[in-house]
Amino acid sequence: MPHFNTLDDASVEGKRVVIRVDLNVPIEKGKVTDATRIERVAPTLRELLDKKAAVIVLAHFDRPKGKVVPEMSLKPVAPALEKILGRPVKFVATDWLSKPGVKVKPGECVLLENTRFHPGEEKNDADFAMVLGSLGDIFVNDAFSAAHRAHSSTEGIAHTIPAYAGRAMEAELKALEQALGNPKRPVVAVVGGAKVSSKLELLGNLSSHANMIVIGGGMANTFLAAQGFNVGKSLCEHDLLATAKKIMATAKSKGCMLILPTDVVVAKEFKAKSPSRNVSITQVEPDDMILDVGKATIATIQSTFYAAKTIVWNGPLGAFEVAPFDAATIACAKLVAQLTKSGKVASIAGGGDTVAALNHAGVAKDFTYISTAGGAFLEWLEGKSLPGVKALERKPIMTTNKNKLADIAQRMVTAGKGILAADESTGSIGKRLESINTPSTPDTRRDYREMLFGATDAMKAYISGVILYDETIRQKGRDGTPLVNMIKATGAIAGIKLDTGAKPMALCPGETITEGLDGLADRVAEYAKIGAEFAKWRAVIDIGKNLPSHNAIHANAHALARYAAICQAGGIVPMVEPEVLMDGDHDIDTCMRITEWVLKEQFQELYYAGVKLEGIILKPNMVISGKKCAVQASHEEVAEKTLIVLKRCVPSAVPGIAFLSGGQSSQDATVHLHCMNAAGPLPWKLTFSYGRALQADALKAWAGKDGNVAAARAALSHRAQMNSLASSGKWSKSLEK
């Protein structure tokens, strides 16, 4: 699946955001009777309002066919939207024949009249699209249910102003990718409903993606008849028997197994409590109606569910509206819900009858994802391109930009060089200065940084880049030279820390999520102007009792991937730093298992985000025993197990891996790096991106005194040289002072 711009890529504060949503809800006597669709888009609207965007809502209602029809006005929807949002919503009436005057301030929301009142809306009229685009600075599409229509408010407007997917749209696209785009296998598809004729394209596409297709509902009768079985007076498209045979042959040729009923539930008439029988498909009588699949077939279907990793469901297995012909749908739906809740399958369902059937079974909330999109969901399952979605596709990084990123990444891992991590926050550097009895002030922090970056010989010989903090990248030396320029004068590259820190993660006790995505694109642009050519973002994964959780690993991997994509779009190289902490009493094998899990999740998220691996640097932890572990692994074991994990997880397209020291002693960090590089040829360059492990000796020698600068720089030079040798596998203990 292509990659899309989302709200994570947008800076919305103070901007007018035009958002397309689906408010085509049932109304009786001027009141909304089912607010499900409003509830689906409310999170996106709240997020925009919380970020102080001026929100302009577009939607359609019913089919006025390009005319003003008062009964089809969106005005009755405004109070329901206001109630769910908990914010005032002003309704703006217009016939759309002229541009409406829209007065809205940041943090306010207005709902405009039915877009289908304009005769050009459903024709995707370019002029009308321009009018809609002129209402705002940014377009957000959160109406997946209308994405299969190329209308002015869903597709045309996306070509007039920057376009992004809203949270509901983003969730839908991710669910669809999980269902068929890049699913865990085996994939089982359940296809039901009345007619084969309405599902021909669906079955054709599913046979190329699913491992098994369960066919139920009235359409199963057509397949049974095509096999020569008597279906009595059941619903059956006898004119499509040849088509059914072709579908079966095509599925077989593609290695997709079709599962058809072997027994069925029949009755003489279709009504509640009508006498029914469970019979073999060979025992259907001429006046029987097949209204559900039988017990043996239910058992077969359920056995396929137990073997599945992904289940996609569209259509009921029987006439679920009337008991007892709902038995198969309920039994199978409950099993899918059970398997989903236990984490054994991902379950995605959609389509009007499907949602109704799952609600009837009482399990809709237990599926991984339920799409209420109807036609759009079905067209996606059929393999069709959806105009409203395609318009949101992220434009690929220009070739020149890709080459530039790869170039910078290669410079960052120049042979014999590594990265100096000098991105400590004001609080962190304050603690280090306190350890040498030096007060933390802008001047002392500047002096310390200047002492490091002024070690010209060491910088030129051993340092390829320096990671800076916001304060530092803006500072000037005592003589007025910007510290960035001092770094660049040595041939090193300046980088910048972009995350805003790890914060407690909701509903995940003891775990954190790294924040900082809001407004990130603007910050990337600003730092690039100052001189940053690469960036850093650190995610923190803790090992403990029942930790880490998959939720924490996935959320942090996703955030890192979003950051990386934004960096690349802005022309700077992202350092991707998923750190498994060495705090705790865990052994090295536990660290190995968790690190492998973290890295596999990370590279999957980078792929989904469209990040070009040639233009990143990975900054991982080494696989190491916890600090409090009674048995500490040897240097050789750390190197061996770290390399095993990296070879399992890191694609060779990544140009280099610059390890964090993560609390190791200065010499241990050097020895571990040496042992890995001494192990032989590797797919990537292995080097260092150390903070304390490079700076500790220099900090101690400096002690906050100008007279100690030369000694401090000598200490930095020695430690950098040792790591330079380690990055080539040429370090020796005899070289240590």
Side-chain angles (χ1 to χ4, degrees):
M1 178 180 282
H3 301 286
F4 308 91
N5 289 312
T6 71
L7 289 181
D8 293 331
D9 305 302
S11 176
V12 301
E13 184 177 353
K15 295 181 180 177
R16 292 166 65 96
V17 177
V18 180
I19 178 169
R20 178 60 158 91
V21 298
D22 184 357
L23 301 179
N24 196 20
V25 294
I27 293 178
E28 291 182 13
K29 298 180 181 180
K31 302 286 185 180
V32 173
T33 58
D34 183 349
T36 301
R37 288 181 171 175
I38 300 176
E39 290 165 351
R40 279 268 170 126
V41 300
T44 302
L45 294 171
R46 289 195 194 100
E47 179 178 343
L48 292 171
L49 292 168
D50 288 343
K51 291 180 177 178
K52 301 302 179 185
V55 179
I56 301 163
V57 181
L58 301 180
H60 74 277
F61 185 80
D62 214 328
R63 298 181 180 275
K65 298 182 179 179
K67 297 179 181 178
V68 175
V69 180
E71 295 78 17
M72 297 180 188
S73 172
L74 279 171
K75 188 173 183 178
V77 178
L81 178 60
E82 184 172 272
K83 181 178 179 181
I84 289 171
L85 286 180
R87 322 277 178 96
V89 176
K90 179 183 177 183
F91 177 73
V92 177
T94 177
D95 59 7
W96 287 113
L97 296 179
S98 58
K99 179 180 175 180
V102 180
K103 295 181 179 179
V104 58
K105 298 177 182 177
E108 294 181 348
C109 179
V110 299
L111 170 63
L112 273 58
E113 184 57 278
N114 190 345
T115 55
R116 290 186 180 176
F117 281 2
H118 190 285
E121 160 70 333
E122 295 184 79
K123 299 174 184 176
N124 202 11
D125 181 78
D127 290 338
F128 185 44
M130 288 294 292
V131 169
L132 296 175
S134 69
L135 295 172
D137 306 303
I138 289 172
F139 171 61
V140 174
N141 193 343
D142 218 21
F144 180 81
S145 55
H148 59 314
R149 309 296 188 198
H151 292 174
S152 296
S153 67
T154 60
E155 199 275 344
I157 185 176
H159 301 289
T160 66
I161 52 177
Y164 303 86
R167 296 307 185 195
M169 173 75 83
E170 181 183 1
E172 190 95 29
L173 294 175
K174 285 184 176 179
L176 297 180
E177 175 72 0
Q178 187 178 18
L180 292 185
N182 188 30
K184 293 182 178 179
R185 295 187 177 277
V187 177
V188 175
V190 178
V191 182
K195 297 181 179 181
V196 175
S197 55
S198 64
K199 304 278 177 90
L200 289 176
E201 291 178 282
L202 172 61
L203 290 168
N205 189 51
L206 285 178
S207 65
S208 298
H209 292 85
N211 300 99
M212 291 166 277
I213 301 177
V214 174
I215 297 180
M219 63 186 298
N221 302 332
T222 303
F223 284 89
L224 294 175
Q227 292 179 316
F229 294 106
N230 174 36
V231 296
K233 59 179 183 179
S234 308
L235 178 65
C236 178
E237 294 175 282
H238 291 282
D239 57 329
L240 290 179
L241 300 189
T243 301
K245 290 179 181 178
K246 184 177 179 181
I247 290 172
M248 288 187 282
T250 300
K252 184 177 181 180
S253 70
K254 293 180 178 179
C256 176
M257 180 187 298
L258 292 189
I259 298 173
L260 292 165
T262 56
D263 67 329
V264 292
V265 177
V266 298
K268 302 301 182 184
E269 53 185 338
F270 179 38
K271 67 178 185 181
K273 299 181 181 180
S274 176
S276 60
R277 307 175 346 263
N278 195 127
V279 300
S280 164
I281 54 173
T282 62
Q283 298 174 322
V284 178
E285 298 176 356
D287 60 345
D288 279 338
M289 298 175 66
I290 299 174
L291 297 171
D292 201 2
V293 303
K295 293 179 180 178
T297 303
I298 292 173
T300 300
I301 294 170
Q302 290 182 329
S303 69
T304 67
F305 289 170
Y306 280 115
K309 293 294 183 184
T310 303
I311 298 173
V312 183
W313 193 317
N314 178 255
L317 295 171
F320 75 94
E321 302 91 343
V322 176
F325 313 118
D326 56 354
T329 298
I330 291 175
C332 292
K334 285 188 174 180
L335 177 59
V336 175
Q338 176 187 325
L339 293 172
T340 302
K341 287 194 290 184
S342 65
K344 294 178 180 177
V345 302
S347 52
I348 296 91
D353 286 345
T354 311
V355 176
L358 298 181
N359 280 324
H360 175 72
V363 298
K365 292 182 179 179
D366 296 325
F367 273 52
T368 304
Y369 190 81
I370 299 289
S371 173
T372 58
F377 179 80
L378 184 58
E379 288 197 17
W380 185 88
L381 287 182
E382 290 171 351
K384 295 179 180 178
S385 175
L386 307 185
V389 172
K390 189 169 181 60
L392 300 175
E393 287 182 15
R394 182 182 301 125
K395 308 236 177 351
I397 298 172
M398 299 298 291
T399 302
T400 52
N401 198 23
K402 283 199 296 184
N403 292 341
K404 172 191 170 187
L405 295 172
D407 217 34
I408 295 170
Q410 290 292 346
R411 286 166 58 201
M412 291 170 68
V413 289
T414 299
K417 292 188 176 185
I419 293 163
L420 170 60
D423 58 316
E424 301 90 348
S425 66
T426 301
S428 294
I429 194 63
K431 292 177 182 177
R432 295 193 187 178
L433 292 175
E434 183 182 344
S435 72
I436 57 169
N437 299 313
T438 299
S440 177
T441 68
D443 286 347
T444 58
R445 294 193 294 272
R446 175 207 63 204
D447 291 346
Y448 176 58
R449 301 304 193 194
E450 192 169 0
M451 178 274 290
L452 294 174
F453 310 152
T456 307
D457 292 342
M459 292 284 291
K460 287 182 177 180
Y462 312 125
I463 303 299
S464 61
V466 182
I467 311 172
L468 302 172
Y469 186 61
D470 179 77
E471 177 187 59
T472 317
I473 200 171
R474 302 177 191 279
Q475 279 185 320
K476 295 180 179 179
R478 289 185 180 183
D479 65 357
T481 302
L483 296 185
V484 170
N485 292 358
M486 184 181 295
I487 291 167
K488 291 187 174 183
T490 67
I493 308 168
I496 182 69
K497 174 186 176 181
L498 286 178
D499 67 80
T500 57
K503 309 293 170 59
M505 189 169 176
L507 303 183
C508 292
E511 298 186 286
T512 61
I513 178 71
T514 300
E515 297 182 348
L517 289 172
D518 289 351
L520 183 56
D522 291 340
R523 285 190 285 131
V524 166
E526 179 189 5
Y527 287 129
K529 288 180 181 177
I530 296 174
E533 296 183 71
F534 72 96
K536 171 210 154 171
W537 179 291
R538 174 178 178 248
V540 179
I541 304 297
D542 205 355
I543 297 177
K545 185 178 180 181
N546 299 320
L547 299 181
S549 68
H550 177 261
N551 193 25
I553 290 175
H554 175 75
N556 277 288
H558 177 73
L560 264 170
R562 295 300 321 124
Y563 138 83
I566 294 168
C567 283
Q568 289 194 339
I572 68 175
V573 169
M575 291 189 82
V576 176
E577 183 178 351
E579 179 181 1
V580 177
L581 296 176
M582 63 183 291
D583 300 333
D585 59 1
H586 56 272
D587 60 20
I588 189 171
D589 290 326
T590 300
C591 181
M592 184 178 183
R593 176 173 57 84
I594 299 302
T595 301
E596 181 173 354
W597 184 11
V598 166
L599 289 178
K600 284 182 176 176
E601 191 83 22
Q602 187 60 69
F603 279 96
Q604 178 172 279
E605 287 299 313
L606 289 169
Y607 170 78
Y608 288 151
V611 173
K612 305 304 175 187
L613 298 185
E614 296 82 356
I616 74 165
I617 295 297
L618 179 66
K619 183 175 178 176
N621 56 281
M622 296 178 189
V623 174
I624 199 164
S625 310
K627 288 181 181 178
K628 298 177 183 177
C629 182
V631 179
Q632 291 291 310
S634 67
H635 295 135
E636 291 75 17
E637 187 179 6
V638 169
E640 177 190 4
K641 292 188 173 179
T642 301
L643 289 177
I644 288 172
V645 170
L646 294 178
K647 289 176 180 178
R648 287 175 178 174
C649 303
V650 183
S652 60
V654 175
I657 297 170
F659 289 103
L660 56 90
S661 53
Q664 300 177 62
S665 70
S666 299
Q667 194 165 128
D668 279 344
T670 301
V671 179
H672 289 145
L673 180 61
H674 162 74
C675 289
M676 280 184 265
N677 279 301
L682 297 168
W684 349 258
K685 296 173 184 175
L686 299 187
T687 189
F688 57 93
S689 177
Y690 295 162
R692 278 172 295 185
L694 273 179
Q695 299 178 39
D697 293 344
L699 175 68
K700 185 177 180 181
W702 178 58
K705 299 176 181 178
D706 287 350
N708 294 338
V709 167
R713 287 174 175 170
L716 174 67
S717 180
H718 172 72
R719 196 75 256 141
Q721 181 188 23
M722 294 299 99
N723 284 296
S724 169
L725 292 169
S727 70
S728 303
K730 298 176 181 178
W731 172 87
S732 169
K733 189 174 182 179
S734 63
L735 297 172
E736 291 287 355
K737 293 180 180 179

